[in-house]
Amino acid sequence: MAISKTFCSIFSILSLILLSIISSLTLAEDSHLFHKTISPTLLGLRKEKLSHLHFYFHDILSGPKPTAVNVAQARMTNKSSTGFGLVMMADDPLTSGPEPDSKLVGKAQGIYASAAQDELGLLMVMNFAFTEGKYNGSTLSVLGRNTVFSVVREIPIVGGSGVFRFARGYAHAKTHTLDLKTGDAVVEYNVYVFHY
Ligand SMILES: *[C@@H]1O[C@H](CO)[C@@H](O)[C@H](O)[C@H]1NC(C)=O
Ligand SMILES: *[C@@H]1O[C@H](CO)[C@@H](O)[C@H](O)[C@H]1NC(C)=O
């Protein structure tokens, strides 16, 4: 009887040791965890806020220093009334006022391309990279459709970086001036974004 009791306690001590080895192995695995749920406060995220940004976008195709250049087009782009297939790369100044020499607040960097055959409809894939004040170094990512002859176009803001982490919202784009000969345009942007 006594022997079997001793055996039992030895056995339970052994199984405890075995258990702790197994759990330490599991802990070692934990240090390589692929994913886990965390609290938003761990990233310093408190209350989501809504910001309204207002600026002018200068898309200059003419002159010695164009801000947008043609990087590709299809063989049939020339024959298309909407320039279907045309791809432009832009580094367009964003300014606080409509005048080209008004305060620079950032650049619109990326691609716009003619993606519609029956009307002028652009695919916009770009980042608004801000350089002004607390927004310096922060970006908003823009992905949407821009029917440039509509009075107001709504373009989704799909993300952001810096102060605009977790951003989502939309931009309203309204042509301020358009030179039909050169294609030079100044576009007024009202951007509404939720971010932290
Ligand atoms: C078509 O585009 C090419 C350059 O991409 C140009 O040389 C040519 O003149 C254009 N043709 C017409 C009809 O506009
Ligand atoms: C923005 O940040 C860059 C890099 O940190 C700095 O060189 C530049 O002077 C800043 N611009 C403004 C307007 O604060």
mmCIF file of all heavy atoms in Angstrom, residues 16-48:
data_model
loop_
_atom_site.group_PDB
_atom_site.id
_atom_site.type_symbol
_atom_site.label_atom_id
_atom_site.label_comp_id
_atom_site.label_asym_id
_atom_site.label_seq_id
_atom_site.Cartn_x
_atom_site.Cartn_y
_atom_site.Cartn_z
ATOM 1 N N LEU A 16 4.113 16.427 -13.334
ATOM 2 C CA LEU A 16 4.187 17.894 -13.169
ATOM 3 C C LEU A 16 5.393 18.459 -13.926
ATOM 4 O O LEU A 16 5.291 19.463 -14.629
ATOM 5 C CB LEU A 16 4.301 18.259 -11.689
ATOM 6 C CG LEU A 16 2.985 18.572 -10.964
ATOM 7 C CD1 LEU A 16 3.239 18.869 -9.502
ATOM 8 C CD2 LEU A 16 2.272 19.735 -11.636
ATOM 9 N N ILE A 17 6.549 17.769 -13.735
ATOM 10 C CA ILE A 17 7.772 18.213 -14.431
ATOM 11 C C ILE A 17 7.567 18.174 -15.945
ATOM 12 O O ILE A 17 7.866 19.128 -16.656
ATOM 13 C CB ILE A 17 8.981 17.314 -14.030
ATOM 14 C CG1 ILE A 17 9.378 17.609 -12.573
ATOM 15 C CG2 ILE A 17 10.165 17.551 -14.968
ATOM 16 C CD1 ILE A 17 10.369 16.618 -11.996
ATOM 17 N N LEU A 18 6.952 17.072 -16.394
ATOM 18 C CA LEU A 18 6.693 16.905 -17.819
ATOM 19 C C LEU A 18 5.793 18.040 -18.338
ATOM 20 O O LEU A 18 6.060 18.647 -19.374
ATOM 21 C CB LEU A 18 6.018 15.541 -18.045
ATOM 22 C CG LEU A 18 6.102 15.021 -19.478
ATOM 23 C CD1 LEU A 18 7.551 14.764 -19.848
ATOM 24 C CD2 LEU A 18 5.291 13.730 -19.621
ATOM 25 N N LEU A 19 4.752 18.331 -17.542
ATOM 26 C CA LEU A 19 3.809 19.400 -17.917
ATOM 27 C C LEU A 19 4.523 20.742 -18.055
ATOM 28 O O LEU A 19 4.285 21.490 -18.999
ATOM 29 C CB LEU A 19 2.705 19.515 -16.854
ATOM 30 C CG LEU A 19 1.359 18.880 -17.209
ATOM 31 C CD1 LEU A 19 0.384 19.013 -16.059
ATOM 32 C CD2 LEU A 19 0.786 19.498 -18.480
ATOM 33 N N SER A 20 5.404 21.033 -17.062
ATOM 34 C CA SER A 20 6.079 22.343 -17.109
ATOM 35 C C SER A 20 7.034 22.414 -18.302
ATOM 36 O O SER A 20 7.198 23.461 -18.910
ATOM 37 C CB SER A 20 6.808 22.636 -15.790
ATOM 38 O OG SER A 20 7.891 21.753 -15.637
ATOM 39 N N ILE A 21 7.644 21.251 -18.637
ATOM 40 C CA ILE A 21 8.509 21.235 -19.836
ATOM 41 C C ILE A 21 7.678 21.531 -21.085
ATOM 42 O O ILE A 21 8.035 22.361 -21.909
ATOM 43 C CB ILE A 21 9.238 19.866 -19.981
ATOM 44 C CG1 ILE A 21 10.330 19.738 -18.902
ATOM 45 C CG2 ILE A 21 9.868 19.730 -21.377
ATOM 46 C CD1 ILE A 21 10.968 18.367 -18.826
ATOM 47 N N ILE A 22 6.534 20.852 -21.153
ATOM 48 C CA ILE A 22 5.654 21.053 -22.320
ATOM 49 C C ILE A 22 5.210 22.513 -22.408
ATOM 50 O O ILE A 22 5.274 23.132 -23.470
ATOM 51 C CB ILE A 22 4.418 20.109 -22.250
ATOM 52 C CG1 ILE A 22 4.871 18.677 -22.559
ATOM 53 C CG2 ILE A 22 3.343 20.545 -23.250
ATOM 54 C CD1 ILE A 22 3.798 17.630 -22.316
ATOM 55 N N SER A 23 4.807 23.091 -21.223
ATOM 56 C CA SER A 23 4.308 24.472 -21.291
ATOM 57 C C SER A 23 5.438 25.452 -21.611
ATOM 58 O O SER A 23 5.220 26.455 -22.280
ATOM 59 C CB SER A 23 3.590 24.859 -19.995
ATOM 60 O OG SER A 23 4.503 24.876 -18.934
ATOM 61 N N SER A 24 6.684 25.153 -21.150
ATOM 62 C CA SER A 24 7.792 26.054 -21.505
ATOM 63 C C SER A 24 8.081 25.970 -23.005
ATOM 64 O O SER A 24 8.448 26.941 -23.637
ATOM 65 C CB SER A 24 9.041 25.741 -20.677
ATOM 66 O OG SER A 24 9.654 24.561 -21.142
ATOM 67 N N LEU A 25 7.880 24.746 -23.553
ATOM 68 C CA LEU A 25 8.047 24.596 -25.005
ATOM 69 C C LEU A 25 7.001 25.439 -25.733
ATOM 70 O O LEU A 25 7.292 26.102 -26.716
ATOM 71 C CB LEU A 25 7.898 23.125 -25.409
ATOM 72 C CG LEU A 25 9.133 22.239 -25.195
ATOM 73 C CD1 LEU A 25 8.837 20.802 -25.590
ATOM 74 C CD2 LEU A 25 10.313 22.780 -25.997
ATOM 75 N N THR A 26 5.771 25.397 -25.211
ATOM 76 C CA THR A 26 4.693 26.180 -25.819
ATOM 77 C C THR A 26 5.022 27.666 -25.722
ATOM 78 O O THR A 26 4.799 28.421 -26.651
ATOM 79 C CB THR A 26 3.348 25.898 -25.107
ATOM 80 O OG1 THR A 26 3.296 24.515 -24.803
ATOM 81 C CG2 THR A 26 2.180 26.270 -26.005
ATOM 82 N N LEU A 27 5.564 28.104 -24.560
ATOM 83 C CA LEU A 27 5.944 29.517 -24.386
ATOM 84 C C LEU A 27 7.011 29.919 -25.412
ATOM 85 O O LEU A 27 6.946 30.988 -25.995
ATOM 86 C CB LEU A 27 6.477 29.754 -22.974
ATOM 87 C CG LEU A 27 5.419 30.100 -21.923
ATOM 88 C CD1 LEU A 27 6.070 30.334 -20.578
ATOM 89 C CD2 LEU A 27 4.620 31.326 -22.349
ATOM 90 N N ALA A 28 7.984 28.975 -25.608
ATOM 91 C CA ALA A 28 9.034 29.255 -26.599
ATOM 92 C C ALA A 28 8.403 29.461 -27.966
ATOM 93 O O ALA A 28 8.785 30.343 -28.716
ATOM 94 C CB ALA A 28 10.033 28.113 -26.640
ATOM 95 N N GLU A 29 7.382 28.649 -28.253
ATOM 96 C CA GLU A 29 6.667 28.805 -29.512
ATOM 97 C C GLU A 29 5.954 30.161 -29.552
ATOM 98 O O GLU A 29 5.912 30.815 -30.571
ATOM 99 C CB GLU A 29 5.649 27.683 -29.671
ATOM 100 C CG GLU A 29 6.084 26.656 -30.699
ATOM 101 C CD GLU A 29 5.168 25.453 -30.713
ATOM 102 O OE1 GLU A 29 3.962 25.635 -30.501
ATOM 103 O OE2 GLU A 29 5.675 24.345 -30.917
ATOM 104 N N ASP A 30 5.429 30.594 -28.379
ATOM 105 C CA ASP A 30 4.696 31.871 -28.297
ATOM 106 C C ASP A 30 5.540 33.049 -28.758
ATOM 107 O O ASP A 30 5.031 33.997 -29.309
ATOM 108 C CB ASP A 30 4.246 32.122 -26.862
ATOM 109 C CG ASP A 30 2.938 31.408 -26.575
ATOM 110 O OD1 ASP A 30 2.376 30.800 -27.507
ATOM 111 O OD2 ASP A 30 2.488 31.463 -25.440
ATOM 112 N N SER A 31 6.879 32.999 -28.500
ATOM 113 C CA SER A 31 7.724 34.121 -28.891
ATOM 114 C C SER A 31 7.776 34.257 -30.406
ATOM 115 O O SER A 31 8.224 35.248 -30.933
ATOM 116 C CB SER A 31 9.128 33.957 -28.309
ATOM 117 O OG SER A 31 9.759 32.874 -28.952
ATOM 118 N N HIS A 32 7.280 33.243 -31.129
ATOM 119 C CA HIS A 32 7.224 33.339 -32.596
ATOM 120 C C HIS A 32 5.791 33.464 -33.071
ATOM 121 O O HIS A 32 5.482 33.140 -34.202
ATOM 122 C CB HIS A 32 7.866 32.103 -33.232
ATOM 123 C CG HIS A 32 9.317 31.992 -32.951
ATOM 124 N ND1 HIS A 32 10.233 32.871 -33.459
ATOM 125 C CD2 HIS A 32 10.011 31.115 -32.189
ATOM 126 C CE1 HIS A 32 11.435 32.527 -33.027
ATOM 127 N NE2 HIS A 32 11.328 31.480 -32.244
ATOM 128 N N LEU A 33 4.920 33.950 -32.184
ATOM 129 C CA LEU A 33 3.505 34.042 -32.551
ATOM 130 C C LEU A 33 3.306 34.874 -33.813
ATOM 131 O O LEU A 33 3.839 35.962 -33.936
ATOM 132 C CB LEU A 33 2.719 34.679 -31.412
ATOM 133 C CG LEU A 33 1.815 33.754 -30.608
ATOM 134 C CD1 LEU A 33 0.956 34.536 -29.668
ATOM 135 C CD2 LEU A 33 0.976 32.882 -31.523
ATOM 136 N N PHE A 34 2.533 34.342 -34.709
ATOM 137 C CA PHE A 34 2.255 35.010 -35.988
ATOM 138 C C PHE A 34 1.234 36.126 -35.802
ATOM 139 O O PHE A 34 1.316 37.174 -36.430
ATOM 140 C CB PHE A 34 1.781 33.960 -36.988
ATOM 141 C CG PHE A 34 1.204 34.504 -38.244
ATOM 142 C CD1 PHE A 34 1.898 35.438 -39.006
ATOM 143 C CD2 PHE A 34 -0.048 34.083 -38.677
ATOM 144 C CE1 PHE A 34 1.357 35.943 -40.177
ATOM 145 C CE2 PHE A 34 -0.596 34.585 -39.840
ATOM 146 C CZ PHE A 34 0.111 35.519 -40.587
ATOM 147 N N HIS A 35 0.275 35.908 -34.925
ATOM 148 C CA HIS A 35 -0.757 36.939 -34.736
ATOM 149 C C HIS A 35 -1.345 36.852 -33.344
ATOM 150 O O HIS A 35 -1.334 35.777 -32.729
ATOM 151 C CB HIS A 35 -1.874 36.774 -35.768
ATOM 152 C CG HIS A 35 -2.638 35.496 -35.591
ATOM 153 N ND1 HIS A 35 -3.734 35.390 -34.774
ATOM 154 C CD2 HIS A 35 -2.434 34.267 -36.113
ATOM 155 C CE1 HIS A 35 -4.180 34.149 -34.803
ATOM 156 N NE2 HIS A 35 -3.393 33.449 -35.604
ATOM 157 N N LYS A 36 -1.798 37.982 -32.844
ATOM 158 C CA LYS A 36 -2.549 37.992 -31.592
ATOM 159 C C LYS A 36 -3.390 39.254 -31.541
ATOM 160 O O LYS A 36 -3.136 40.214 -32.283
ATOM 161 C CB LYS A 36 -1.609 37.914 -30.379
ATOM 162 C CG LYS A 36 -0.646 39.074 -30.270
ATOM 163 C CD LYS A 36 0.230 38.910 -29.031
ATOM 164 C CE LYS A 36 1.315 39.975 -28.998
ATOM 165 N NZ LYS A 36 2.161 39.877 -27.808
ATOM 166 N N THR A 37 -4.375 39.237 -30.685
ATOM 167 C CA THR A 37 -5.234 40.401 -30.520
ATOM 168 C C THR A 37 -4.593 41.339 -29.504
ATOM 169 O O THR A 37 -4.120 40.877 -28.467
ATOM 170 C CB THR A 37 -6.621 39.956 -30.015
ATOM 171 O OG1 THR A 37 -7.143 39.031 -30.970
ATOM 172 C CG2 THR A 37 -7.562 41.134 -29.877
ATOM 173 N N ILE A 38 -4.510 42.621 -29.808
ATOM 174 C CA ILE A 38 -3.947 43.577 -28.862
ATOM 175 C C ILE A 38 -4.920 44.726 -28.632
ATOM 176 O O ILE A 38 -5.850 44.928 -29.412
ATOM 177 C CB ILE A 38 -2.574 44.141 -29.329
ATOM 178 C CG1 ILE A 38 -2.707 44.913 -30.654
ATOM 179 C CG2 ILE A 38 -1.537 43.037 -29.439
ATOM 180 C CD1 ILE A 38 -1.490 45.734 -31.012
ATOM 181 N N SER A 39 -4.657 45.478 -27.574
ATOM 182 C CA SER A 39 -5.504 46.620 -27.275
ATOM 183 C C SER A 39 -5.054 47.821 -28.108
ATOM 184 O O SER A 39 -3.858 48.059 -28.259
ATOM 185 C CB SER A 39 -5.380 46.950 -25.786
ATOM 186 O OG SER A 39 -5.781 48.288 -25.577
ATOM 187 N N PRO A 40 -5.986 48.604 -28.648
ATOM 188 C CA PRO A 40 -5.614 49.797 -29.434
ATOM 189 C C PRO A 40 -4.724 50.764 -28.649
ATOM 190 O O PRO A 40 -3.910 51.468 -29.247
ATOM 191 C CB PRO A 40 -6.967 50.450 -29.750
ATOM 192 C CG PRO A 40 -7.949 49.327 -29.698
ATOM 193 C CD PRO A 40 -7.455 48.394 -28.632
ATOM 194 N N THR A 41 -4.835 50.766 -27.309
ATOM 195 C CA THR A 41 -4.016 51.685 -26.518
ATOM 196 C C THR A 41 -2.530 51.327 -26.614
ATOM 197 O O THR A 41 -1.673 52.180 -26.408
ATOM 198 C CB THR A 41 -4.449 51.673 -25.036
ATOM 199 O OG1 THR A 41 -4.389 50.321 -24.583
ATOM 200 C CG2 THR A 41 -5.849 52.226 -24.858
ATOM 201 N N LEU A 42 -2.220 50.054 -26.930
ATOM 202 C CA LEU A 42 -0.824 49.650 -27.113
ATOM 203 C C LEU A 42 -0.166 50.417 -28.252
ATOM 204 O O LEU A 42 1.041 50.578 -28.296
ATOM 205 C CB LEU A 42 -0.740 48.153 -27.401
ATOM 206 C CG LEU A 42 -0.505 47.251 -26.193
ATOM 207 C CD1 LEU A 42 -0.591 45.801 -26.594
ATOM 208 C CD2 LEU A 42 0.843 47.553 -25.544
ATOM 209 N N LEU A 43 -0.954 50.883 -29.221
ATOM 210 C CA LEU A 43 -0.435 51.690 -30.332
ATOM 211 C C LEU A 43 -0.697 53.175 -30.089
ATOM 212 O O LEU A 43 -0.520 53.991 -30.991
ATOM 213 C CB LEU A 43 -1.080 51.253 -31.660
ATOM 214 C CG LEU A 43 -0.695 49.885 -32.201
ATOM 215 C CD1 LEU A 43 -1.372 49.627 -33.536
ATOM 216 C CD2 LEU A 43 0.813 49.761 -32.364
ATOM 217 N N GLY A 44 -1.128 53.498 -28.869
ATOM 218 C CA GLY A 44 -1.393 54.899 -28.537
ATOM 219 C C GLY A 44 -2.657 55.423 -29.206
ATOM 220 O O GLY A 44 -2.824 56.631 -29.361
ATOM 221 N N LEU A 45 -3.530 54.517 -29.640
ATOM 222 C CA LEU A 45 -4.752 54.946 -30.325
ATOM 223 C C LEU A 45 -5.826 55.259 -29.284
ATOM 224 O O LEU A 45 -6.180 54.402 -28.490
ATOM 225 C CB LEU A 45 -5.254 53.856 -31.272
ATOM 226 C CG LEU A 45 -4.252 53.359 -32.306
ATOM 227 C CD1 LEU A 45 -4.850 52.239 -33.138
ATOM 228 C CD2 LEU A 45 -3.797 54.493 -33.204
ATOM 229 N N ARG A 46 -6.299 56.490 -29.273
ATOM 230 C CA ARG A 46 -7.357 56.842 -28.326
ATOM 231 C C ARG A 46 -8.665 57.074 -29.070
ATOM 232 O O ARG A 46 -9.351 56.149 -29.437
ATOM 233 C CB ARG A 46 -6.935 58.042 -27.484
ATOM 234 C CG ARG A 46 -6.106 57.601 -26.274
ATOM 235 C CD ARG A 46 -5.451 58.756 -25.565
ATOM 236 N NE ARG A 46 -4.012 58.712 -25.774
ATOM 237 C CZ ARG A 46 -3.183 57.867 -25.155
ATOM 238 N NH1 ARG A 46 -3.651 57.007 -24.279
ATOM 239 N NH2 ARG A 46 -1.888 57.890 -25.394
ATOM 240 N N LYS A 47 -8.924 58.342 -29.379
ATOM 241 C CA LYS A 47 -10.230 58.624 -29.988
ATOM 242 C C LYS A 47 -10.042 58.932 -31.475
ATOM 243 O O LYS A 47 -9.168 59.708 -31.842
ATOM 244 C CB LYS A 47 -10.865 59.826 -29.266
ATOM 245 C CG LYS A 47 -12.363 59.848 -29.344
ATOM 246 C CD LYS A 47 -12.932 60.859 -28.350
ATOM 247 C CE LYS A 47 -14.438 60.927 -28.400
ATOM 248 N NZ LYS A 47 -14.980 61.295 -29.710
ATOM 249 N N GLU A 48 -10.873 58.334 -32.282
ATOM 250 C CA GLU A 48 -10.824 58.608 -33.711
ATOM 251 C C GLU A 48 -11.363 60.012 -33.967
ATOM 252 O O GLU A 48 -12.332 60.424 -33.332
ATOM 253 C CB GLU A 48 -11.675 57.579 -34.457
ATOM 254 C CG GLU A 48 -11.299 57.437 -35.903
ATOM 255 C CD GLU A 48 -12.068 56.326 -36.605
ATOM 256 O OE1 GLU A 48 -13.207 56.039 -36.208
ATOM 257 O OE2 GLU A 48 -11.521 55.754 -37.536
#
